[in-house]
């Protein structure tokens, strides 16, 4: 068979049968382009010949058709007649369809000229064929020639008399095939494809992709709407129709079954022509009659809605009546404002028409406008109410411009300059306005606030009296300013402000004490500008000594020893220059933050001047701190000032900032560190940082927070502060300062134990030296807190026998009133706990030592070292003594209102010792019983206090006593679960009850999250977090709810990714990512959460871990809108988005945040 069957006859004519196989496709005449003029002339000649009916001569290119016999001619003619009739019918139908299409649409000439020309030529050719059809032998030749000449590509089989060869030669090329991308649609046979497969292929290995639209119609399926779409949320907000029944009045007799009504009790329907059998009820009969239900029944579905609308209308009328009668009641107005939320949720109260529910969107703006209208009415009646004006400003923050809002704040402060709460909210508002924020501007606002309040307190502003609690609020504002400067990177200003406050408070000359604060500050300025050593510097003596020396005739400068020359700092700040630029910048910036937090002052012995300072920002002028100096007359506030100063230096003093600025100061993740607590739940060392970092600490999120100390100059600064302030106090305050110093050194020993063991020996030696020096002082020889800390230090260093000797020595010093001494109870408790944790697997000698210590605590005889197992009679006597002492303490606590400090101190320590004694002698159930008894006795009179646990050495309230007992109970349960099998339910229930009372206790939250992480079902945990976050005002529930979900996600990821590779999920994620993101979004909606840098850092870190860079950038800029002062946010962004280094640094410079390494200096360092 030839490659082109249509040209097989050409080869037969020219070369016979053998030449057909030798036909080359390159000699195909259809690929030759003829002259258009010759083609048209040939078409005209053929048409003329066909019309005349003369026989045509065959073309030399066409093959000769062989003559057939007469029978074959007859059969051919018969079949040709039949097909002619069929063709006429088809043409007639086609013309009718074309005519209908032409009538329906006027755009009949949409086809191209080429297509219409082809159609016209084909129609003329067919008409010519009909006229020239004769029963002659050459008629088929005429038809073939005409079709070929006219360019028509189709030929009918009826026109060919011989059926042996049905192929023809198409010698005329079609130029349209070159001009268009596809063949003319009329030349392609129409067909319908049945299915998408093809015959002859293997469906398992081969497939065909059909181009164009599929023949099968796409099923139009309606998209299912999820619950969070707008329509579904509207349905969920609509009030449902309550299903109510008509219960019968209860009878006195007890019913043991459901009674069935007798048929006699039911009224028999009357037989009518519609109901001849009496089987239809009344509603069916009415329907057959074409009647509807009665009017009262037709309104039945709307009765519930009408009742709710009536109730809401009654409440509105009641509020209107009350505020008319009592327009001065501000709490009533605030309740009326809060009631507007319930009104807007109510169905149909503000309907557009009667009986029609409100159709327009209940937008937030509508609700705000209604609340604003109520507040304006309230302010007209109460023009002096600050609470109403504050509520109005908070409401207007939703749709007012920041500039207009700031003006309203200034007007309000001008009217009420003595209101400390108003100042605190105004400063928080200005601190979170990114557009108008700058460090210098806000620092000036803090100074203006404190100076104004000082003038009010001194009586300089006669128009406004001093409100109660002004001094405490001023101290809280001062701490808020210090945390703001620390987080902005200006650590030198923070240290200078504390140095000035210590001199201004404790070393004030007697001659200026009675003067107003403004005048005292003016006298303080010459001292600050002098070269006199300040607090923390070597040789500091204070403002008073300098003033006396100036009055005598000048200060005598003592030349320091030349041997104590300070070594020069290492200039090699960049360790590896091959690292990326952003990593080098972060490393050098953090290094300078750690080393340069102390303010720079020229050293006169080295002939230095102010021009010698390489970084002018390290110098702090008096104008930077002068306005912020305040007077503290309360001894408690004076001691808290020292505690806060030590906390800024990294000393675990146990001080927590006030609740107003606690979450503003939280910026690092030490709140989640539970490594030490998991190792030793009974005797773990809690430095109580509470997520607040110290000066010089700007590490990345997630780094473990260890107290590793400062550089050598920094450590000297801390020691000088302790040496200067210790003589200022006596009694418990001095004991607490000594304990804080020793705890600071012990914390560094613990850091060496876990990280750098090479420094453990020298650090332990220095710590023991400090403990011995403190205990040598006469006032500290009987200080059991210091003895306890020293013994614990020896135990941590591994000197068990030396630690026991220290414990025995301290216990033998006690007198006969052991049970009433809280510190001695704490010492005995720690001794017993350490013995228990020494070898928890062996219940032998260590348990005997612990029982011996707790037993001798109840005896009046002097303490003796451990000699052997305790006799059973001594254990019984000790238990009776504990029971009597506990009853006495509980009786004294409940009888006295308020309870005395001594009884509270005795109660807290005694209960914990008794619980441990019962655990060692009886078992865990006996200890749980003691806790349940005390908890039930004290729970009714306990209210949650503060955001966290108070320090153990401060005078304790009833709430803090119960909190300490709860901590002991949970620690004991965790210890017991580590050494034996015990159910988790008691511990979970205890933590749940305690956290509802103390939602700000971070230790309890850490324990709760740890135990709940072991559970496979998270439903109970999520429900509990949901309850607590709704009721509590603290931020800790949100933080630990997020941490719990993140721990669960890490657990799921560790299962799904084995060996770093993706495997099939054995535990479904169940939307943990979206749940965590929703928790973050809900947490930052609150006022405290939106201004918490730690929360924003966690949110940004979580989104970056997901790999969504664009969303992470959006959250970073959203965080800057709320916390533009937090330098750690900018440094985190540099680590997450290295390409934006220049842009972030420009933003920090614009907002005046502390940048210690400009990029220009970094380029110079890299060149060197």
């Amino acid at each position: 068979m030839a490659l082109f069957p249509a040209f097989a006859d050409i080869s037969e004519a020219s070369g016979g049968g053998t030449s057909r196989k030798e036909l080359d496709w390159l000699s195909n005449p259809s690929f030759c382009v003829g002259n258009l003029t010759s083609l048209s002339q040939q078409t005209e000649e053929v048409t003329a010949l066909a019309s005349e009916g003369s026989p045509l001569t065959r073309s030399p290119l066409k093959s000769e058709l062989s003559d057939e016999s007469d029978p074959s001619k007859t059969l051919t003619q018969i079949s040709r007649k039949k097909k002619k009739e069929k063709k006429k019918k088809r043409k007639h139908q086609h013309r009718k369809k074309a005519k209908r299409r032409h009538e329906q649409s006027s755009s009949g000439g949409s086809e191209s000229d080429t297509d219409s020309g082809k159609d016209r030529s084909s129609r003329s050719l067919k008409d010519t064929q009909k006229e020239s059809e004769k029963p002659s032998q050459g008629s088929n030749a005429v038809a073939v020639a005409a079709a070929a000449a006219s360019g028509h590509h189709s030929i009918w089989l009826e026109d060919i008399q011989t059926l042996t060869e049905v192929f023809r030669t198409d010698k005329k090329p079609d130029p349209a095939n070159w001009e268009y991308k596809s063949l003319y649609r009329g030349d392609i046979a129409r067909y319908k494809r049945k299915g998408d497969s093809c015959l002859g292929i293997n469906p398992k290995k081969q497939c065909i992709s059909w181009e164009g639209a599929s023949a099968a119609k796409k099923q139009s399926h309606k998209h299912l709407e999820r619950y969070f779409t707008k329509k579904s949320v509207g349905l969920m907000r609509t009030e449902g129709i309550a299903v109510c029944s008509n219960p019968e009045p209860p009878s006195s007799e007890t019913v043991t079954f459901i009674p069935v009504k007798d048929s006699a009790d039911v009224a028999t329907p009357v037989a009518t022509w519609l109901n001849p059998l009496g089987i239809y009820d009344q509603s069916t009969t009415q329907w057959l009659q074409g009647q509807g239900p009665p009017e009262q029944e037709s309104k039945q579905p709307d009765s519930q809605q009408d009742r709710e609308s009536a109730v809401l209308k009654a409440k509105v009328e009641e509020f209107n009546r009350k505020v008319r009668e009592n327009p001065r009641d501000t709490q009533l107005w605030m309740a009326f404002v809060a009631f507007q939320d319930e009104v807007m949720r109510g169905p149909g109260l503000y309907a557009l028409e009667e009986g029609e529910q409100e159709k327009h969107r209940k937008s937030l703006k509508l609700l705000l406008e209604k609340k604003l209208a109520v507040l304006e009415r309230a302010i007209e009646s109460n023009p002096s109410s600050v609470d109403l004006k504050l509520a109005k400003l908070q409401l207007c923050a939703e749709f007012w411009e920041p500039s207009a809002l700031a003006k309203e704040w200034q007007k309000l402060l001008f009217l009420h300059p003595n209101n400390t709460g108003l100042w605190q909210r105004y400063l928080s508002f200005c601190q979170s306005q990114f557009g108008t924020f700058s460090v210098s501007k806000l620092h000036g606002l803090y100074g203006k606030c404190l100076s104004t309040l000082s003038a009010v307190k001194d009586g300089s502003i006669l128009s406004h009296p001093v409100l109660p609690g002004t001094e405490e609020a001023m101290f809280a504002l001062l701490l808020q300013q210090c945390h703001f400067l620390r987080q902005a990177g200006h650590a030198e200003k923070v240290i200078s402000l504390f140095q000035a406050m210590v001199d201004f408070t404790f070393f004030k000359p007697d001659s200026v004490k009675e003067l107003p604060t403004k005048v005292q500050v003016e006298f303080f300025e010459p001292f600050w500008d002098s070269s006199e050593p300040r607090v923390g510097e070597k040789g500091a003596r204070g403002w008073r000594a300098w003033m006396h020396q100036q009055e005598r005739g000048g200060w005598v400068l003592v030349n320091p020893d030349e041997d104590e020359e300070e070594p020069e700092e290492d200039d090699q700040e960049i360790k590896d220059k091959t690292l990326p630029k952003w990593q080098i910048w972060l490393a050098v910036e953090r290094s300078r933050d750690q080393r340069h937090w102390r303010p720079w002052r020229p050293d006169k012995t080295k002939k230095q001047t102010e021009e010698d300072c390489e970084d002018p920002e390290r110098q702090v002028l008096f104008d930077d701190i002068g306005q912020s100096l305040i007077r503290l007359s309360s001894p408690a506030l004076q001691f808290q000032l020292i505690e806060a100063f030590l906390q800024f230096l990294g000393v675990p003093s146990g001080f927590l900032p006030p609740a107003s600025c606690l979450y503003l100061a939280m910026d690092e993740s030490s709140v989640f560190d539970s490594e030490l607590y998991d190792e030793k739940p009974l005797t773990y060392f809690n430095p109580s940082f509470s997520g607040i970092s110290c000066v010089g600490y700007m590490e990345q999120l997630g780094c473990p927070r260890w107290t590793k100390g400062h550089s050598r100059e920094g450590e000297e600064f801390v020691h000088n502060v302790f040496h200067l302030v210790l003589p200022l106090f006596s009694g418990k305050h001095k004991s607490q300062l000594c304990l804080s110093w020793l705890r600071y050194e012990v914390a560094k020993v613990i850091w060496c134990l876990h990280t750098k063991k090479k420094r453990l020996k020298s650090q332990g030696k220095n710590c023991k030296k400090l403990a011995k020096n403190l205990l040598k002082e006469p006032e500290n020889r009987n200080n059991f807190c210091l003895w306890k800390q020293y013994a614990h230090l020896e135990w941590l260093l591994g000197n068990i026998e030396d630690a026991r000797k220290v414990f025995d020595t301290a216990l033998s010093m006690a007198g006969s009133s052991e049970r009433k001494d809280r510190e001695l109870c704490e010492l005995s408790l720690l001794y017993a706990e350490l013995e228990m944790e020494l070898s928890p697997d062996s219940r032998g000698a260590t348990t005997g030592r612990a029982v011996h210590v707790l037993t001798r605590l109840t005896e009046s005889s002097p303490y003796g070292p451990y000699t052997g197992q305790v006799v059973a009679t001594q254990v019984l006597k000790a238990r009776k003594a504990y029971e009597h002492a506990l009853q006495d303490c509980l009786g004294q606590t409940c009888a006295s209102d308020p309870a005395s400090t001594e009884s509270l101190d005795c109660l807290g320590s005694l209960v914990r010792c008794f619980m441990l004694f019962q655990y060692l002698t009886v078992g865990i159930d006996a200890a749980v019983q003691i806790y349940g008894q005390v908890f039930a006795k004290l729970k009714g009179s306990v209210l949650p206090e503060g955001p966290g646990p108070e320090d153990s050495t401060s005078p304790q309230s009833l709430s803090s006593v119960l909190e300490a007992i709860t901590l002991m109970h949970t620690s004991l349960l965790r210890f017991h679960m580590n050494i034996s099998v015990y159910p988790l339910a008691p511990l979970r229930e205890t933590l749940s009850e305690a956290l509802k009372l103390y939602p700000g206790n971070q230790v309890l939250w850490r324990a709760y999250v740890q135990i709940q992480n072991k559970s496979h079902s998270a439903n109970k945990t999520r429900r509990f977090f949901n309850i607590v976050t709704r009721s509590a005002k603290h931020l800790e529930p949100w933080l630990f709810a997020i941490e719990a979900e993140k721990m669960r996600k890490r657990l799921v990821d560790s299962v799904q990714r084995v060996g770093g590779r993706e495997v099939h999920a054995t535990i479904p994620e169940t939307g943990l990512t979206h749940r965590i993101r929703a928790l973050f979004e809900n947490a930052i909606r609150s006022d405290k959460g939106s201004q918490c840098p730690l929360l924003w850092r966690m949110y940004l870190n979580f989104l970056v871990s997901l790999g969504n860079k664009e969303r992470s950038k959006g959250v970073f800029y959203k965080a800057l809108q709320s916390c533009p002062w937090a330098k750690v946010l900018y440094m985190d962004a540099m680590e997450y988005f290295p390409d934006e280094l220049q842009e972030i640094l420009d933003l920090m410079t614009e907002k005046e945040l502390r940048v210690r390494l400009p990029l220009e200096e970094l380029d110079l360092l890299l060149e060197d």
Side-chain angles (χ1 to χ4, degrees), residues 494-509:
V494 177
I495 299 300
S496 297
L497 186 54
F498 272 112
Q499 287 177 324
M501 278 299 301
V502 171
D503 267 318
F504 196 74
T505 303
F506 297 100
F507 299 98
K508 187 180 298 181

PDB file of all heavy atoms in Angstrom, residues 494-509:
ATOM      1  N   VAL A 494      19.216  53.326  82.770  1.00  0.00           N
ATOM      2  CA  VAL A 494      18.546  52.593  83.853  1.00  0.00           C
ATOM      3  C   VAL A 494      19.444  52.541  85.080  1.00  0.00           C
ATOM      4  O   VAL A 494      19.013  52.842  86.213  1.00  0.00           O
ATOM      5  CB  VAL A 494      18.179  51.172  83.384  1.00  0.00           C
ATOM      6  CG1 VAL A 494      17.547  50.388  84.523  1.00  0.00           C
ATOM      7  CG2 VAL A 494      17.235  51.220  82.203  1.00  0.00           C
ATOM      8  N   ILE A 495      20.720  52.174  84.883  1.00  0.00           N
ATOM      9  CA  ILE A 495      21.646  52.078  86.014  1.00  0.00           C
ATOM     10  C   ILE A 495      21.857  53.450  86.639  1.00  0.00           C
ATOM     11  O   ILE A 495      21.882  53.596  87.881  1.00  0.00           O
ATOM     12  CB  ILE A 495      22.978  51.475  85.538  1.00  0.00           C
ATOM     13  CG1 ILE A 495      22.749  50.056  84.969  1.00  0.00           C
ATOM     14  CG2 ILE A 495      23.974  51.413  86.673  1.00  0.00           C
ATOM     15  CD1 ILE A 495      22.161  49.085  85.946  1.00  0.00           C
ATOM     16  N   SER A 496      21.965  54.476  85.814  1.00  0.00           N
ATOM     17  CA  SER A 496      22.158  55.829  86.355  1.00  0.00           C
ATOM     18  C   SER A 496      20.940  56.278  87.153  1.00  0.00           C
ATOM     19  O   SER A 496      21.083  56.925  88.205  1.00  0.00           O
ATOM     20  CB  SER A 496      22.422  56.808  85.206  1.00  0.00           C
ATOM     21  OG  SER A 496      23.611  56.471  84.529  1.00  0.00           O
ATOM     22  N   LEU A 497      19.745  55.948  86.684  1.00  0.00           N
ATOM     23  CA  LEU A 497      18.535  56.338  87.405  1.00  0.00           C
ATOM     24  C   LEU A 497      18.464  55.649  88.761  1.00  0.00           C
ATOM     25  O   LEU A 497      18.100  56.272  89.779  1.00  0.00           O
ATOM     26  CB  LEU A 497      17.308  56.004  86.552  1.00  0.00           C
ATOM     27  CG  LEU A 497      15.952  56.469  87.065  1.00  0.00           C
ATOM     28  CD1 LEU A 497      15.955  57.966  87.345  1.00  0.00           C
ATOM     29  CD2 LEU A 497      14.855  56.130  86.068  1.00  0.00           C
ATOM     30  N   PHE A 498      18.833  54.356  88.809  1.00  0.00           N
ATOM     31  CA  PHE A 498      18.844  53.666  90.107  1.00  0.00           C
ATOM     32  C   PHE A 498      19.946  54.221  91.009  1.00  0.00           C
ATOM     33  O   PHE A 498      19.743  54.346  92.237  1.00  0.00           O
ATOM     34  CB  PHE A 498      19.031  52.164  89.892  1.00  0.00           C
ATOM     35  CG  PHE A 498      17.746  51.417  89.694  1.00  0.00           C
ATOM     36  CD1 PHE A 498      17.439  50.843  88.475  1.00  0.00           C
ATOM     37  CD2 PHE A 498      16.836  51.290  90.722  1.00  0.00           C
ATOM     38  CE1 PHE A 498      16.255  50.154  88.282  1.00  0.00           C
ATOM     39  CE2 PHE A 498      15.647  50.601  90.549  1.00  0.00           C
ATOM     40  CZ  PHE A 498      15.354  50.039  89.321  1.00  0.00           C
ATOM     41  N   GLN A 499      21.115  54.527  90.443  1.00  0.00           N
ATOM     42  CA  GLN A 499      22.176  55.120  91.264  1.00  0.00           C
ATOM     43  C   GLN A 499      21.710  56.446  91.875  1.00  0.00           C
ATOM     44  O   GLN A 499      21.928  56.699  93.069  1.00  0.00           O
ATOM     45  CB  GLN A 499      23.416  55.357  90.389  1.00  0.00           C
ATOM     46  CG  GLN A 499      24.172  54.094  90.019  1.00  0.00           C
ATOM     47  CD  GLN A 499      25.335  54.390  89.097  1.00  0.00           C
ATOM     48  OE1 GLN A 499      25.256  55.260  88.229  1.00  0.00           O
ATOM     49  NE2 GLN A 499      26.424  53.659  89.271  1.00  0.00           N
ATOM     50  N   ALA A 500      21.063  57.270  91.053  1.00  0.00           N
ATOM     51  CA  ALA A 500      20.590  58.556  91.556  1.00  0.00           C
ATOM     52  C   ALA A 500      19.496  58.370  92.602  1.00  0.00           C
ATOM     53  O   ALA A 500      19.465  59.089  93.630  1.00  0.00           O
ATOM     54  CB  ALA A 500      20.079  59.404  90.399  1.00  0.00           C
ATOM     55  N   MET A 501      18.589  57.404  92.399  1.00  0.00           N
ATOM     56  CA  MET A 501      17.507  57.174  93.357  1.00  0.00           C
ATOM     57  C   MET A 501      18.041  56.660  94.688  1.00  0.00           C
ATOM     58  O   MET A 501      17.537  57.033  95.768  1.00  0.00           O
ATOM     59  CB  MET A 501      16.501  56.183  92.782  1.00  0.00           C
ATOM     60  CG  MET A 501      15.489  56.792  91.841  1.00  0.00           C
ATOM     61  SD  MET A 501      14.456  58.053  92.610  1.00  0.00           S
ATOM     62  CE  MET A 501      13.698  57.134  93.916  1.00  0.00           C
ATOM     63  N   VAL A 502      19.079  55.808  94.673  1.00  0.00           N
ATOM     64  CA  VAL A 502      19.649  55.313  95.932  1.00  0.00           C
ATOM     65  C   VAL A 502      20.287  56.457  96.698  1.00  0.00           C
ATOM     66  O   VAL A 502      20.099  56.608  97.928  1.00  0.00           O
ATOM     67  CB  VAL A 502      20.657  54.191  95.648  1.00  0.00           C
ATOM     68  CG1 VAL A 502      21.422  53.814  96.914  1.00  0.00           C
ATOM     69  CG2 VAL A 502      19.951  52.968  95.100  1.00  0.00           C
ATOM     70  N   ASP A 503      21.050  57.312  96.024  1.00  0.00           N
ATOM     71  CA  ASP A 503      21.654  58.474  96.688  1.00  0.00           C
ATOM     72  C   ASP A 503      20.586  59.452  97.154  1.00  0.00           C
ATOM     73  O   ASP A 503      20.675  60.022  98.256  1.00  0.00           O
ATOM     74  CB  ASP A 503      22.628  59.166  95.726  1.00  0.00           C
ATOM     75  CG  ASP A 503      24.055  58.665  95.884  1.00  0.00           C
ATOM     76  OD1 ASP A 503      24.484  58.493  97.041  1.00  0.00           O
ATOM     77  OD2 ASP A 503      24.719  58.419  94.874  1.00  0.00           O
ATOM     78  N   PHE A 504      19.564  59.667  96.324  1.00  0.00           N
ATOM     79  CA  PHE A 504      18.511  60.633  96.628  1.00  0.00           C
ATOM     80  C   PHE A 504      17.628  60.162  97.783  1.00  0.00           C
ATOM     81  O   PHE A 504      17.008  60.981  98.472  1.00  0.00           O
ATOM     82  CB  PHE A 504      17.676  60.857  95.368  1.00  0.00           C
ATOM     83  CG  PHE A 504      16.808  62.076  95.406  1.00  0.00           C
ATOM     84  CD1 PHE A 504      17.364  63.340  95.262  1.00  0.00           C
ATOM     85  CD2 PHE A 504      15.438  61.972  95.597  1.00  0.00           C
ATOM     86  CE1 PHE A 504      16.566  64.478  95.301  1.00  0.00           C
ATOM     87  CE2 PHE A 504      14.637  63.101  95.633  1.00  0.00           C
ATOM     88  CZ  PHE A 504      15.205  64.359  95.487  1.00  0.00           C
ATOM     89  N   THR A 505      17.579  58.835  98.008  1.00  0.00           N
ATOM     90  CA  THR A 505      16.700  58.287  99.051  1.00  0.00           C
ATOM     91  C   THR A 505      17.450  58.022 100.351  1.00  0.00           C
ATOM     92  O   THR A 505      16.962  58.366 101.440  1.00  0.00           O
ATOM     93  CB  THR A 505      16.056  56.983  98.548  1.00  0.00           C
ATOM     94  OG1 THR A 505      15.349  57.241  97.329  1.00  0.00           O
ATOM     95  CG2 THR A 505      15.091  56.426  99.571  1.00  0.00           C
ATOM     96  N   PHE A 506      18.635  57.402 100.278  1.00  0.00           N
ATOM     97  CA  PHE A 506      19.314  56.932 101.492  1.00  0.00           C
ATOM     98  C   PHE A 506      20.446  57.850 101.951  1.00  0.00           C
ATOM     99  O   PHE A 506      20.848  57.781 103.118  1.00  0.00           O
ATOM    100  CB  PHE A 506      19.873  55.526 101.262  1.00  0.00           C
ATOM    101  CG  PHE A 506      18.822  54.486 100.997  1.00  0.00           C
ATOM    102  CD1 PHE A 506      18.537  54.063  99.717  1.00  0.00           C
ATOM    103  CD2 PHE A 506      18.104  53.942 102.051  1.00  0.00           C
ATOM    104  CE1 PHE A 506      17.574  53.102  99.475  1.00  0.00           C
ATOM    105  CE2 PHE A 506      17.129  52.987 101.820  1.00  0.00           C
ATOM    106  CZ  PHE A 506      16.855  52.568 100.529  1.00  0.00           C
ATOM    107  N   PHE A 507      21.006  58.652 101.068  1.00  0.00           N
ATOM    108  CA  PHE A 507      22.162  59.478 101.430  1.00  0.00           C
ATOM    109  C   PHE A 507      21.862  60.961 101.257  1.00  0.00           C
ATOM    110  O   PHE A 507      22.710  61.743 100.845  1.00  0.00           O
ATOM    111  CB  PHE A 507      23.375  59.095 100.560  1.00  0.00           C
ATOM    112  CG  PHE A 507      23.803  57.674 100.730  1.00  0.00           C
ATOM    113  CD1 PHE A 507      23.396  56.699  99.823  1.00  0.00           C
ATOM    114  CD2 PHE A 507      24.592  57.295 101.798  1.00  0.00           C
ATOM    115  CE1 PHE A 507      23.785  55.385  99.983  1.00  0.00           C
ATOM    116  CE2 PHE A 507      24.986  55.974 101.962  1.00  0.00           C
ATOM    117  CZ  PHE A 507      24.575  55.012 101.058  1.00  0.00           C
ATOM    118  N   LYS A 508      20.626  61.341 101.569  1.00  0.00           N
ATOM    119  CA  LYS A 508      20.221  62.733 101.418  1.00  0.00           C
ATOM    120  C   LYS A 508      20.735  63.542 102.616  1.00  0.00           C
ATOM    121  O   LYS A 508      20.561  63.115 103.771  1.00  0.00           O
ATOM    122  CB  LYS A 508      18.705  62.814 101.322  1.00  0.00           C
ATOM    123  CG  LYS A 508      18.164  64.185 100.987  1.00  0.00           C
ATOM    124  CD  LYS A 508      16.644  64.142 100.912  1.00  0.00           C
ATOM    125  CE  LYS A 508      16.167  63.218  99.807  1.00  0.00           C
ATOM    126  NZ  LYS A 508      14.694  63.173  99.701  1.00  0.00           N
ATOM    127  N   PRO A 509      21.332  64.691 102.388  1.00  0.00           N
ATOM    128  CA  PRO A 509      21.782  65.523 103.518  1.00  0.00           C
ATOM    129  C   PRO A 509      20.594  66.005 104.354  1.00  0.00           C
ATOM    130  O   PRO A 509      19.489  66.217 103.844  1.00  0.00           O
ATOM    131  CB  PRO A 509      22.492  66.692 102.821  1.00  0.00           C
ATOM    132  CG  PRO A 509      22.843  66.194 101.465  1.00  0.00           C
ATOM    133  CD  PRO A 509      21.781  65.225 101.092  1.00  0.00           C
TER     134      PRO A 509
END
